[in-house]
Amino acid sequence: MDLSTALSRARRNFLDDWTLHAVAIASLVVAFLCLGATLFAVANLNRIAEKWGNTQQLSLYLKDGTEKADVSQLQFVLESLPEVAAVEYLTPAAAQKKFLEQTDAESDLASLPTEVFPASLEIKLTQGVPEGRLQKIIDRLQQLAPVQEVESYRGWFEHLASLLQASRWSASVLAALVAICVIAVIENTVRMAIAHRSDEIEVLKLCGATDGFVRMPFVIEGAIQGSVAALFSILLLLVAYAIVSGQVGYTFATLTGVSLTFFSPQIGLAVVIGGGAAGALGSLLSLRRYLSV
Amino acid sequence: MTLARESTTRSVGRGSTSFFRQRERPDSSKHAKPILVMEEVYKYFRRDVPTLKNVNLKINRGEFVFVTGPSGAGKSTLLQLIYRKHTVDSGRILFSGRDVARLTKSSIPFLRRNLGVIFQDFKIISHWSTFENVAVALEILSIPKRLIRSRVAEALDRVGLAGRGNEHAGDLSGGEQQRVAIARAIVTEPALLLADEPTGNLDPGLSIDILTLFEEIHEAGTTVIFATHDHSLLQAAPHRLVMIDDGHVIEASQGLRAWAARTQSMVAS
Ligand SMILES: Nc1ncnc2c1ncn2[C@@H]1O[C@H](COP(=O)(O)OP(=O)(O)OP(=O)(O)O)[C@@H](O)[C@H]1O
Ligand SMILES: [Mg+2]
């Protein structure tokens, strides 16, 4: 049968039974909101991880009042190590400036006095320094007299990585749950729609409609409900994002070094298409169970 | 499958002007082509009591046949076997030479596209418009919208509801609703019309009107099987009459018809 007939039949059914469909879509929106919020978190954690994950570097914070000569000597020693690609001396003023550059947003921290930023040697490592060797270098540097502290960023990055992993996991589990939820809700909605329209289905069959002709509008309706619910919840999230990012966006940027962003249009599209597919599937399952043709 | 192809090409191919074209007049000679043949048909709903037993019936193209019998005799069952709501337990039902009983489930829709079925309870969708109720039969055949519009208009005209396509079907009177159902059945120009007590829910005056409408459709060339237990209708129209009695189908003679009419008037008085 032709698609336009199926579409116009589906449209008519939507209008005839709109409360049933509205209730189904509303309950699915709640499910999609949870999924969308998690995807939002994953997207931002991902950006943070990308920003910090590939910084192969060490910061060597120097004790206050370290002599310039000691610094130069230390710098010379470090540069002679094969694992070190570059060493940069950061005075407290330079450190403050760099900090402010790294944070995307303008910051209250700009008003902090220069003295709170310690002088440091920023060490860029060559690619692929083995874990054990790196630890040995850190241990040795720690013992040098002018060195206050060695920051390898690894602990922090490991935390971030595990957080990212966990949120990816929960997003996947949530996506599966939402799919099941969509299938179940639409299966039930279509079951009711079949009951409401039993007289219509009988007439169609008597007039010689094929199974496909009878079923197609229900499948289209299921797909539309799933995708409309997904789309609607993404729009709601976008509105929420617009409000929230104005308020906490820049604190977030200050803390993490990346600006708050929404997940990509591709992910949004995937959610909408996935919602439609789950809806169609739910409808098909319902038709199989409740529509005896 | 062949049934379907015939139906679609006929329906699409024929322009609107030929809608009223007279088919060949029924021919009472031996060479008349049967449209429906039932051979030794048995149907059981209960294990040992057949509802229909050894039914042999031949209906030629262009005939008008009354099927009568007391309530529960099996009139509806007989028609349901033809449009494959039920399947025979043994025997054959040949429609246009093809055995209906042996159609696969997926080809039943194509059988039904060649039949028009009308019921006592109309089976129209009350929240649709009159137009939509008739158009649905053509939508199933994937006929272009423009053609659907003109053919539905003609069908409504034929049943006396010209220009009333936009009315809500649920608001029509019983007689009008049945006319909508008849329009839906004839709009595809089926070769055979099956009517199961089409006047059962209508008062006597309206019943005669509906019968007259069926006769007009028959005049235009459609074969009609009309199941009823309303003897006043049987009396009003001199058509072939078959009776179902104790599961058997009997060809009713004129004498029987007269007897039926007498009992009817006796009951009435
Ligand atoms: N689906 C079914 N399942 C079981 N028994 C059935 C079924 N359909 C019909 N019957 C039985 O078959 C017999 C004939 O029923 P049918 O409806 O054909 O009678 P009818 O002649 O149309 O009667 P009426 O004039 O009341 O409409 C009845 O005894 C009925 O109980
Ligand atoms: Mg009956």
Side-chain angles (χ1 to χ4, degrees):
Chain A
M1 82 153 145
D2 55 322
L3 196 62
S4 75
T5 309
L7 280 172
S8 70
R9 295 189 59 75
R11 196 183 67 91
R12 181 156 65 189
N13 293 338
F14 253 118
L15 296 178
D16 287 349
D17 231 352
W18 69 270
T19 41
L20 181 68
H21 293 101
V23 167
I25 288 176
S27 55
L28 291 179
V29 164
V30 175
F32 276 111
L33 276 177
C34 296
L35 178 62
T38 312
L39 288 172
F40 177 73
V42 171
N44 283 287
L45 283 172
N46 223 4
R47 270 171 63 89
I48 298 170
E50 263 169 24
K51 165 108 181 171
W52 297 102
N54 49 23
T55 44
Q56 284 264 17
Q57 65 171 29
L58 298 175
S59 291
L60 216 65
Y61 294 105
L62 303 172
K63 286 178 180 152
D64 287 346
T66 304
E67 293 296 327
K68 184 86 174 92
D70 290 342
V71 175
S72 304
Q73 200 190 348
L74 192 53
Q75 195 166 0
F76 179 76
V77 171
L78 288 168
E79 276 169 351
S80 66
L81 290 173
E83 288 85 3
V84 172
V87 181
E88 189 195 352
Y89 177 54
L90 275 188
T91 62
Q96 184 185 30
K97 188 157 170 274
K98 187 162 184 187
F99 176 81
L100 292 175
E101 274 171 13
Q102 279 189 346
T103 57
D104 291 354
E106 276 182 52
S107 171
D108 288 337
L109 302 175
S111 56
L112 286 173
T114 310
E115 299 86 75
V116 304
F117 295 90
S120 65
L121 285 172
E122 296 298 320
I123 304 166
K124 273 224 163 58
L125 298 170
T126 54
Q127 290 290 311
V129 181
E131 191 61 31
R133 177 75 188 137
L134 186 65
Q135 195 55 52
K136 216 169 261 172
I137 293 172
I138 291 168
D139 289 347
R140 189 125 9 114
L141 290 173
Q142 206 96 57
Q143 282 152 20
L144 296 176
V147 174
Q148 173 87 40
E149 196 193 342
V150 181
E151 174 60 89
S152 68
Y153 303 104
R154 276 183 310 155
W156 192 78
F157 181 66
E158 273 161 18
H159 264 105
L160 182 63
S162 61
L163 190 62
L164 183 62
Q165 197 55 42
S167 57
R168 279 194 183 136
W169 260 103
S170 41
S172 314
V173 170
L174 218 60
L177 281 178
V178 167
I180 291 170
C181 178
V182 172
I183 291 171
V185 167
I186 297 211
E187 186 173 354
N188 202 43
T189 309
V190 169
R191 181 175 63 86
M192 285 194 269
I194 291 171
H196 284 190
R197 278 185 241 154
S198 58
D199 52 347
E200 194 180 316
I201 293 169
E202 186 188 5
V203 165
L204 287 175
K205 287 194 211 157
L206 279 170
C207 291
T210 56
D211 288 6
F213 188 94
V214 176
R215 289 181 165 168
M216 188 73 104
F218 288 101
V219 176
I220 292 175
E221 282 165 62
I224 288 178
Q225 284 173 65
S227 48
V228 163
L231 190 67
F232 193 68
S233 52
I234 289 175
L235 292 178
L236 275 181
L237 273 178
L238 263 173
V239 171
Y241 164 75
I243 295 167
V244 164
S245 71
Q247 289 176 353
V248 303
Y250 105 134
T251 314
F252 178 85
T254 316
L255 290 175
T256 63
V258 296
S259 56
L260 201 59
T261 44
F262 206 68
F263 51 76
S264 66
Q266 288 91 323
I267 289 181
L269 191 65
V271 171
V272 172
I273 290 174
L281 185 64
S283 183
L284 279 172
L285 289 176
S286 191
L287 289 166
R288 242 176 94 157
R289 200 178 300 175
Y290 303 110
L291 185 70
S292 50
V293 248
Chain B
M1 286 319 217
T2 332
L3 283 174
R5 220 173 301 127
E6 279 172 7
S7 145
T8 322
T9 45
R10 198 194 58 216
S11 307
V12 178
R14 241 204 232 172
S16 42
T17 47
S18 57
F19 193 90
F20 292 102
R21 196 186 70 175
Q22 296 272 120
R23 293 216 181 86
E24 273 177 51
R25 293 299 303 141
D27 182 359
S28 56
S29 79
K30 275 178 254 160
H31 306 293
K33 274 234 177 123
I35 189 167
L36 189 80
V37 179
M38 296 185 136
E39 289 174 352
E40 295 169 26
V41 168
Y42 283 78
K43 179 67 194 173
Y44 293 82
F45 285 115
R46 277 176 295 161
R47 185 129 10 108
D48 33 55
V49 191
T51 297
L52 293 175
K53 43 187 149 176
N54 196 21
V55 171
N56 290 285
L57 182 65
K58 194 166 111 186
I59 293 172
N60 287 331
R61 244 169 233 286
E63 270 194 291
F64 189 117
V65 182
F66 279 127
V67 176
T68 190
S71 179
K75 303 181 289 295
S76 299
T77 304
L78 185 82
L79 300 186
Q80 285 162 358
L81 291 176
I82 300 171
Y83 67 87
R84 262 302 288 273
K85 182 177 177 187
H86 296 305
T87 314
V88 298
D89 289 309
S90 73
R92 300 202 301 168
I93 297 181
L94 302 175
F95 172 61
S96 297
R98 235 162 258 106
D99 191 353
V100 165
R102 282 171 48 196
L103 289 177
T104 59
K105 224 175 159 222
S106 59
S107 37
I108 292 173
F110 303 103
L111 162 72
R112 291 184 181 167
R113 291 175 190 191
N114 289 268
L115 298 170
V117 192
I118 292 134
F119 302 90
Q120 177 171 354
D121 59 353
F122 320 143
K123 294 198 196 300
I124 64 168
I125 312 299
S126 54
H127 65 272
W128 288 1
S129 70
T130 302
F131 175 88
E132 287 171 321
N133 268 284
V134 180
V136 68
L138 296 175
E139 281 173 7
I140 287 168
L141 304 178
S142 298
I143 288 175
K145 284 217 157 46
R146 183 182 43 78
L147 208 53
I148 289 181
R149 235 170 284 132
S150 61
R151 287 185 57 176
V152 170
E154 283 170 72
L156 285 174
D157 185 32
R158 251 181 117 179
V159 299
L161 292 174
R164 302 186 56 182
N166 289 328
E167 284 178 41
H168 207 243
D171 295 340
L172 300 177
S173 73
E176 288 166 341
Q177 292 193 10
Q178 189 61 298
R179 285 169 188 273
V180 173
I182 295 170
R184 180 181 68 203
I186 61 171
V187 74
T188 55
E189 295 195 62
L192 178 61
L193 217 50
L194 305 174
D196 189 359
E197 308 266 10
T199 60
N201 280 1
L202 306 175
D203 54 50
L206 276 176
S207 297
I208 292 289
D209 288 349
I210 292 291
L211 175 62
T212 309
L213 179 55
F214 274 101
E215 288 181 315
E216 282 165 17
I217 294 163
H218 167 245
E219 282 300 307
T222 308
T223 310
V224 177
I225 303 180
F226 192 114
T228 183
H229 54 215
D230 183 345
H231 289 225
S232 61
L233 293 184
L234 304 181
Q235 216 177 350
H239 298 296
R240 181 179 165 194
L241 171 65
V242 297
M243 285 189 68
I244 305 182
D245 183 34
D246 192 26
H248 293 285
V249 168
I250 313 155
E251 206 70 46
S253 62
Q254 287 307 314
L256 196 57
R257 185 191 297 276
W259 169 82
R262 260 201 314 282
T263 40
Q264 170 81 12
S265 54
M266 266 159 61
V267 170
S269 64

